[in-house]
Amino acid sequence: MTNLLLKLSAAAIALSAMTSVSNAEDLVFTLKNNTKGTLERFYTSPVGVGTWEEDVFGADVIEPGESMEITIGDGRSVCKYDMRFEFTEDSNIEDLEDTQDLCAMGSYTINMH
């Protein structure tokens, strides 16, 4: 009986560890396009990573004045991300980059000054 309890306890601990890894908290925020151009691509990468990860939008875009809920579900437990925003060519807006603590944000607005 003791051997069975030890095996069940070990299995429960292993299952608990796997569950906590697979349920890493996603970063969710609203991205608002407050420019006159169409936002075509949005890349993120944790601060310190030397390359951009895949386009968050996929086939989607954010038109001027629109917003989109963004979920970064990369399984990492970091908050500071580098971001790159690319607009359609006819928008005549140069690509923009920024770094923010996404855990502390409910929304991010791209503004043109």
Side-chain angles (χ1 to χ4, degrees):
M1 183 71 166
T2 304
N3 220 7
L4 178 60
L5 286 175
L6 285 174
K7 288 180 182 178
L8 288 174
S9 293
I13 290 169
L15 182 59
S16 174
M18 288 187 321
T19 302
S20 64
V21 169
S22 66
N23 289 335
E25 191 169 323
D26 293 343
L27 296 174
V28 180
F29 63 99
T30 301
L31 180 60
K32 300 175 185 177
N33 182 3
N34 195 26
T35 71
K36 295 183 189 264
T38 301
L39 185 56
E40 186 174 42
R41 288 181 289 278
F42 172 50
Y43 300 96
T44 63
S45 186
V47 170
V49 173
T51 60
W52 294 110
E53 299 188 350
E54 67 185 59
D55 177 19
V56 175
F57 291 165
D60 295 327
V61 298
I62 301 179
E63 297 293 341
E66 292 185 348
S67 61
M68 177 188 295
E69 183 174 274
I70 302 294
T71 300
I72 300 175
D74 60 10
R76 295 181 173 110
S77 58
V78 297
C79 291
K80 285 195 145 199
Y81 279 80
D82 293 323
M83 299 178 290
R84 180 176 175 85
F85 306 97
E86 295 182 0
F87 295 86
T88 57
E89 192 172 320
D90 63 342
S91 295
N92 294 319
I93 299 175
E94 291 193 28
D95 299 340
L96 303 171
E97 294 183 5
D98 194 10
T99 300
Q100 293 292 327
D101 179 342
L102 297 179
C103 296
M105 299 173 49
S107 67
Y108 182 90
T109 302
I110 303 167
N111 290 302
M112 295 303 297
H113 303 291

